[in-house]
């Protein structure tokens, strides 16, 4: 039996991403988000229009998407309710946020240099995706400019860094889903993925058939350096 309901949030479960960006004084900011999906070497992130991260991405046109595994959940939780914005935006004051200039220090995470962008990678995360800003789409703009609270940002992945612990033994260009344990957020709570539940017909499609021009340019960028 289904009942009509009116939940305040519709966060049905998505992976956590730590977005590394550069502030205007060249220090780093790091922010957990979980509104994200990937298509080819592009992705969309959903993010508060007035967050420090959005400000930094729109100014620098780049960021790094660092994907934590379940092992980094403590560090991710230490980043919750923190903002790089000073003063703290009114909406976040209401939710109990505080300003933190040193998010890496506060979380106990280690910034390492990226290879294409200036934004930081997170050493402890098994996946680092260096990315360029491509486009912005405001949410709810049709109801009036003043109502825009969130935006989606299209990002193009420029280079992929994978920790060897999640890579297939046979193929260094394949993430082994049995080894990759993404940290998931569902209705503001942290979860991991369970074991595989069924063989997958879709998995009969060779992964190479999903390669695009973006995939090839990331490969070419990798070969230059
Ligand atoms: C697990 C988790 C997931 C989050 N997901 C999102 C999200 O998808 N989009 C968003 O705008 N904020 C999300 N937040 C809140 C941001 O972290 C928050 O807006 C933070 O202030 C951003 O940092 P910044 O202001 O320094 O950019 C999430 C927070 C946590 C802890």
């Amino acid at each position: 039996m289904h009942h009509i309901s009116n939940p305040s949030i519709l966060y049905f479960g998505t992976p956590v991403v730590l977005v590394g960006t550069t502030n205007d004084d060249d220090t780093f900011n790091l922010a957990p988000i979980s509104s994200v999906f990937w298509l080819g070497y592009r992705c969309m992130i959903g993010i508060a229009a007035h967050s420090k991260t959005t400000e930094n991405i729109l100014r620098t046109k780049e960021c790094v998407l660092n994907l934590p595994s379940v092992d980094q959940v403590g560090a991710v939780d230490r980043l919750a309710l923190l903002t790089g914005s000073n003063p703290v935006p009114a909406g976040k004051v209401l939710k109990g946020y505080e300003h933190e200039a040193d998010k890496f220090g506060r979380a106990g995470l280690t910034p390492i240099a990226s290879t294409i962008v200036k934004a930081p990678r997170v050493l402890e995360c098994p996946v680092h995706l260096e990315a360029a800003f491509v486009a912005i789409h405001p949410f709810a703009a049709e109801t009036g400019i003043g109502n825009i609270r969130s935006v989606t940002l299209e990002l193009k992945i420029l280079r992929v860094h994978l920790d060897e612990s999640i890579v297939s033994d046979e193929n260094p260009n394949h993430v082994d889903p049995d080894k990759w344990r993404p940290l998931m957020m569902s209705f503001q709570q942290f979860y991991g993925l369970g074991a595989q539940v069924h063989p997958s017909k879709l998995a009969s499609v060779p992964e190479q058939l999903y390669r695009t021009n973006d995939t090839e340019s990331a490969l070419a960028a990798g070969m230059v350096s």
Side-chain angles (χ1 to χ4, degrees):
M1 188 77 147
H2 292 73
H3 297 278
I4 292 174
S5 179
N6 183 224
S8 300
I9 54 174
L10 298 173
Y11 300 161
F12 284 103
T14 43
V16 176
V17 177
L18 297 181
V19 187
T21 57
T22 312
N23 297 316
D24 53 8
D25 62 0
D26 283 339
T27 58
F28 294 143
N29 192 40
L30 189 65
I33 62 153
S34 54
S35 304
V36 62
F37 66 85
W38 286 269
L39 278 173
Y41 265 42
R42 303 273 167 147
C43 76
M44 293 292 266
I45 64 169
I47 190 158
H50 296 291
S51 73
K52 189 70 182 174
T53 301
T54 307
E55 179 189 316
N56 285 347
I57 292 176
L58 293 179
R59 189 187 67 260
T60 62
K61 309 284 188 275
E62 58 170 52
C63 65
V64 178
L65 304 177
N66 299 278
L67 276 54
S69 78
V70 288
D71 295 337
Q72 284 84 50
V73 64
V76 173
D77 199 41
R78 287 192 285 277
L79 288 169
L81 303 182
L82 300 179
T83 176
S85 298
N86 191 10
V88 178
K92 286 188 177 169
V93 171
L94 212 62
K95 292 177 181 143
Y97 276 76
E98 60 172 294
H99 168 67
E100 175 58 66
D102 180 16
K103 300 257 202 96
F104 275 92
R106 185 78 173 256
L109 294 169
T110 316
I112 56 171
S114 294
T115 59
I116 296 179
V117 303
K118 283 191 181 157
R121 294 189 284 149
V122 176
L123 175 66
E124 291 80 1
C125 289
V127 180
H128 309 146
L129 306 171
E130 298 189 50
F133 165 75
V134 177
I136 181 169
H137 172 86
F139 259 35
E142 85 283 3
T143 66
I145 298 296
N147 292 333
I148 300 172
R149 284 158 54 180
S150 306
V151 294
T152 57
L153 303 179
E154 179 185 342
L155 303 170
K156 176 182 172 181
I157 306 306
L158 303 176
R159 187 168 282 173
V160 178
H161 306 259
L162 301 176
D163 189 83
E164 57 188 16
S165 62
I166 64 165
V167 170
S168 146
D169 293 334
E170 292 77 38
N171 179 357
N173 292 319
H174 174 68
V175 175
D176 183 340
D178 284 327
K179 296 179 175 175
W180 170 227
R181 302 284 91 198
L183 177 64
M184 308 296 293
M185 201 216 62
S186 180
F187 291 92
Q188 302 198 89
Q189 301 291 345
F190 293 116
Y191 291 88
L193 289 184
Q196 186 179 16
V197 292
H198 196 278
S200 165
K201 200 181 291 178
L202 185 67
S204 65
V205 179
E207 282 190 7
Q208 301 88 284
L209 296 185
Y210 294 107
R211 294 184 79 85
T212 63
N213 289 342
D214 294 334
T215 325
E216 301 311 331
S217 39
L219 175 69
M223 282 154 64
V224 169
S225 65

